[in-house]
Amino acid sequence: NVQPPEKPLQSEEWNRLRENFQLPEIFEELMLNSMIRCNSPIDVAKSLLTHVAKRNGDIAYSVLVKYLTLCVQQGQVSEIRDVYDIMKARFKILEIGAYNLFIKGLSNSDQWRMAVTLLEEAKKIMIPSRTSYESCIKAASCHQEMKLAFELYHEMLTKDVVPTLDVLQSFFDFSKGMKGAELQKELFGILLYLRENQIYPHETFMRSIKLWFESIPGRNWRGHLTNIKDSGQCPVCNHQLEDSNLTEEEYNNLSERIIRDVIHGTDTFRKTSPQEFEAFQTFVENRLPFDIVIDGLNVSHIKPRRMHCENLLDAINCLAKDNVRLLVLGRKHMMINSSNWKREIMKEMQNKADFFFAENISDDDAFLLYATLRSGKHCKFVTRDFLRDHKACLSDTLTRHLFRKWQRGHQIVLSTSGDGKRIHFLPAFQYDCVVQTTGDTWHIPYKDVFEEKYSYQVPRKWLCIQQK
C-alpha cells in the first residue's frame, strides 16, 4: 500500500521512491492504483507518467489505462482526449475496458458526440458493454437528441444487451413536455417492453412515467396510484384488467411446447435420468388430475429456524382444504428419519397428499411443470423459484409470453407472516399482472423498491393513467 505524494515530483524523486519499494517492477501500477483510490491531483499522476516515458521511452498500456481511470474519475476531458490520441497512435486495437472508460469520460462532457463515435469504433471489434451504450444514450437524451438515443436503445435490444431500469427511466425524464407522435410511440414501446419481459418498475421509475404522461402537451393524461380489486377491476377508471387465463388453444399450444422443448428437450436430463423421468410420468398419468403441485424441497426451507418437515406440513395443511388433490415433489433423503425429516410427520403428510420422491440430484422444475400442465388448466403450482431457465428454452417470443402469462395466473406465492410464525399464501391472480393498455388507459404494476433480480412475486400496487 503506497501513499501517493501530494505534489508533482521530479524524475530523481520518483526514482528514489521506486528503488525503496519492495517490488520496483510493479511500482507504477500500484502507485496509480493508490492515486485512483485517493483521487490524487492529476498533475501528480502526470509527473509519474512523464518520468516513466523518460526512463523507458514509452508507457505501458496498463499504466495508460490506470491514468485514464483517474482522468475519467475527475472529468478531465482534455486529458482524456490526449490519452486517446496517444493510445490510438501506439496500439492497433484497444480492449473493451479502455473503450468503456473513454466513452464514460466523454459522454458526460461537451465532447459527448466523440463518445458516440467511439461507440461506433468499438462495434467493429466487439459488442460494446451495456455501460457504454447507456452512457451514450443518456448523453444524447440530455442534449434532446431523442432520435439518436432511441436508435442506440433499439440496437442494444437487437444485440441482446439488456437495458437497466435506470436508462429506461431516463427516457421518460428527458422527454417531459416534448411534443411529437414519433417520440410518444417510442416511449409507449418502452412500456410494452416492460410488459413483454414482465418487468415491474420501482416507485421512482413509476413516478417518472406518470409525470411524463401528465406533461404531454394537449393530451390531458391523469395518473392515479391504486390497488386493483380481486375481481380485476380498477377502482379509479372502473376498467376491467386482462384475464390471466389462457384460451383452450393457447393452453394446449403452450402445454405441447413445454412438454416437447423443455421437458423432453436437452435441458431436463442434465439433472435426472430418463428412467427416473419415465417412472415419474407413469406415476402422474395413473393419478391425474391434481389441483395443486408443490415443490416440496423449496417450500420446506421457507422458515430457516424450523424443521424442514414442519414447514412442509404447515404448507400442506394450509392448502389441503375442500378436498383438493395435492402432489408434493420430494427427494429420497426425506424418507430417511433425520433431524429435519421426522418419520411420523412424513406419514401424516402422506395421508393428505400424494408424494413422489426423486433422486437427490434431480431437477424439480421439469417435474413440477409436467405434473401441473398434464393436470389441466385449473391446476396451480407452489414454488418460490422463478422458473427462469425454462423460459429461455422456449425459442419464440409468443410462447415465452404465454408461458409467463400462464405462470402469473398459476403460481401460488408462499410467504411468512411478519413475525415469521405463520405461513400464508398469496393466491394466483384472476387478472393479468403486467403493463396493459386500451389506448386511452394504461395500467402499470409497480414495486416499492428497485430490484435488480427478476421476481416471481407480482406487485400489489398499480398506476392507473387515463385520458380525460
Side-chain angles (χ1 to χ4, degrees):
N1 191 10
V2 287
Q3 200 52 40
E6 286 174 17
K7 57 184 199 330
L9 300 183
Q10 296 299 319
S11 267
E12 49 277 15
E13 296 172 293
W14 281 122
N15 266 333
R16 264 199 305 281
L17 279 179
R18 189 173 186 266
E19 281 157 14
N20 294 332
F21 190 65
Q22 279 174 327
L23 300 161
E25 64 280 7
I26 55 166
F27 169 75
E28 284 82 16
E29 291 203 26
L30 290 180
M31 179 57 82
L32 281 160
N33 282 346
S34 246
M35 289 181 183
I36 293 164
R37 215 172 31 252
C38 303
N39 204 22
S40 296
I42 210 77
D43 56 351
V44 176
K46 218 169 173 179
S47 76
L48 175 60
L49 255 62
T50 308
H51 159 67
V52 172
K54 267 187 196 164
R55 192 187 70 225
N56 300 345
D58 65 9
I59 302 166
Y61 186 96
S62 56
V63 171
L64 280 169
V65 169
K66 287 188 191 303
Y67 175 66
L68 173 62
T69 305
L70 186 65
C71 296
V72 170
Q73 191 170 294
Q74 297 183 7
Q76 302 273 356
V77 180
S78 63
E79 284 299 313
I80 296 170
R81 291 287 309 247
D82 289 350
V83 176
Y84 177 74
D85 293 341
I86 292 166
M87 289 181 86
K88 277 306 278 184
R90 285 261 326 278
F91 307 105
K92 274 201 181 72
I93 290 178
L94 305 183
E95 42 71 64
I96 194 153
Y99 273 116
N100 281 345
L101 284 165
F102 283 123
I103 291 167
K104 185 182 172 189
L106 295 169
S107 62
N108 287 325
S109 74
D110 58 357
Q111 305 273 311
W112 68 273
R113 283 191 189 281
M114 184 175 172
V116 179
T117 307
L118 292 186
L119 186 72
E120 291 303 316
E121 197 177 288
K123 276 186 231 166
K124 291 176 187 153
I125 48 169
M126 64 186 111
I127 292 180
S129 70
R130 171 160 82 179
T131 324
S132 289
Y133 267 116
E134 297 198 345
S135 296
C136 291
I137 287 171
K138 282 186 177 172
S141 306
C142 183
H143 292 85
Q144 306 283 289
E145 297 260 358
M146 299 314 289
K147 192 166 178 289
L148 172 60
F150 277 109
E151 274 168 18
L152 293 172
Y153 162 69
H154 290 301
E155 196 179 287
M156 269 180 98
L157 296 183
T158 56
K159 293 190 171 157
D160 288 330
V161 182
V162 178
T164 58
L165 292 192
D166 181 48
V167 83
L168 297 180
Q169 182 182 338
S170 75
F171 278 117
F172 290 91
D173 289 336
F174 287 122
S175 302
K176 274 207 287 287
M178 287 172 75
K179 275 194 172 124
E182 196 51 44
L183 175 71
Q184 202 166 302
K185 193 172 139 208
E186 289 283 16
L187 288 156
F188 286 167
I190 291 178
L191 296 176
L192 295 174
Y193 171 82
L194 299 182
R195 172 191 170 92
E196 195 56 53
N197 293 282
Q198 192 180 334
I199 297 168
Y200 302 121
H202 48 83
E203 192 173 351
T204 49
F205 184 6
M206 175 276 295
R207 292 204 178 274
S208 294
I209 295 169
K210 180 178 182 291
L211 288 171
W212 171 72
F213 266 103
E214 292 174 343
S215 78
I216 301 173
R219 285 280 179 254
N220 222 4
W221 289 97
R222 281 288 156 269
H224 297 276
L225 310 189
T226 187
N227 294 324
I228 303 296
K229 295 174 184 168
D230 287 344
S231 64
Q233 193 183 39
C234 170
V236 179
C237 65
N238 296 323
H239 176 72
Q240 187 68 31
L241 294 193
E242 291 172 35
D243 195 321
S244 65
N245 279 326
L246 303 186
T247 65
E248 208 65 46
E249 189 186 352
E250 286 175 333
Y251 180 78
N252 292 338
N253 283 344
L254 178 70
S255 186
E256 265 171 42
R257 283 295 299 275
I258 288 186
I259 287 169
R260 189 185 76 211
D261 294 5
V262 178
I263 293 168
H264 294 315
T266 49
D267 108 308
T268 312
F269 300 123
R270 274 181 310 200
K271 297 178 192 157
T272 183
S273 68
Q275 294 78 5
E276 179 179 54
F277 201 73
E278 255 169 59
F280 173 68
Q281 284 176 286
T282 307
F283 173 91
V284 169
E285 298 299 327
N286 289 337
R287 289 167 179 77
L288 284 174
F290 296 102
D291 299 305
I292 300 174
V293 182
I294 301 167
D295 181 346
L297 198 61
N298 183 286
V299 167
S300 72
H301 287 85
I302 189 157
K303 287 193 264 176
R305 284 190 289 280
R306 285 183 76 210
M307 271 194 290
H308 295 165
C309 59
E310 284 184 337
N311 282 337
L312 187 53
L313 178 64
D314 276 3
I316 288 171
N317 285 338
C318 236
L319 292 165
K321 296 185 175 77
D322 310 323
N323 297 323
V324 296
R325 296 201 53 226
L326 304 178
L327 168 61
V328 180
L329 302 173
R331 289 292 211 306
K332 288 197 168 154
H333 71 255
M334 295 176 178
M335 295 191 285
I336 301 162
N337 200 26
S338 66
S339 58
N340 264 318
W341 298 102
K342 295 281 176 242
R343 190 161 284 141
E344 61 279 11
I345 295 180
M346 287 304 294
K347 275 217 173 75
E348 188 186 336
M349 289 194 275
Q350 283 169 284
N351 290 331
K352 298 177 181 188
D354 280 301
F355 270 75
F356 181 85
F357 296 101
E359 291 295 341
N360 295 330
I361 53 158
S362 299
D363 171 16
D364 288 331
D365 289 353
F367 290 74
L368 185 83
L369 288 169
Y370 183 82
T372 310
L373 288 162
R374 284 294 294 128
S375 292
K377 272 175 79 171
H378 73 289
C379 185
K380 306 279 195 276
F381 64 92
V382 184
T383 178
R384 294 184 296 148
D385 281 346
F386 195 55
L387 308 183
R388 199 156 173 69
D389 295 349
H390 298 295
K391 180 191 153 208
C393 298
L394 298 165
S395 50
D396 65 287
T397 318
L398 179 66
T399 314
R400 281 203 293 269
H401 175 71
L402 288 180
F403 177 63
R404 279 283 168 252
K405 185 171 179 175
W406 172 77
Q407 183 183 0
R408 290 189 295 269
H410 289 78
Q411 185 162 2
I412 296 173
V413 176
L414 244 183
S415 62
T416 50
S417 56
D419 57 8
K421 291 201 173 103
R422 287 181 317 283
I423 285 179
H424 61 263
F425 293 89
L426 301 172
F429 285 106
Q430 298 301 305
Y431 56 90
D432 198 7
C433 197
V434 277
V435 171
Q436 42 194 279
T437 180
T438 60
D440 55 359
T441 67
W442 281 86
H443 288 89
I444 299 167
Y446 70 93
K447 300 226 157 180
D448 288 328
V449 288
F450 168 70
E451 284 173 357
E452 177 62 60
K453 280 173 71 163
Y454 285 71
S455 167
Y456 59 85
Q457 290 192 305
V458 290
R460 304 269 148 179
K461 296 180 170 181
W462 288 73
L463 168 65
C464 162
I465 302 168
Q466 53 182 149
Q467 210 165 8
K468 288 289 189 224

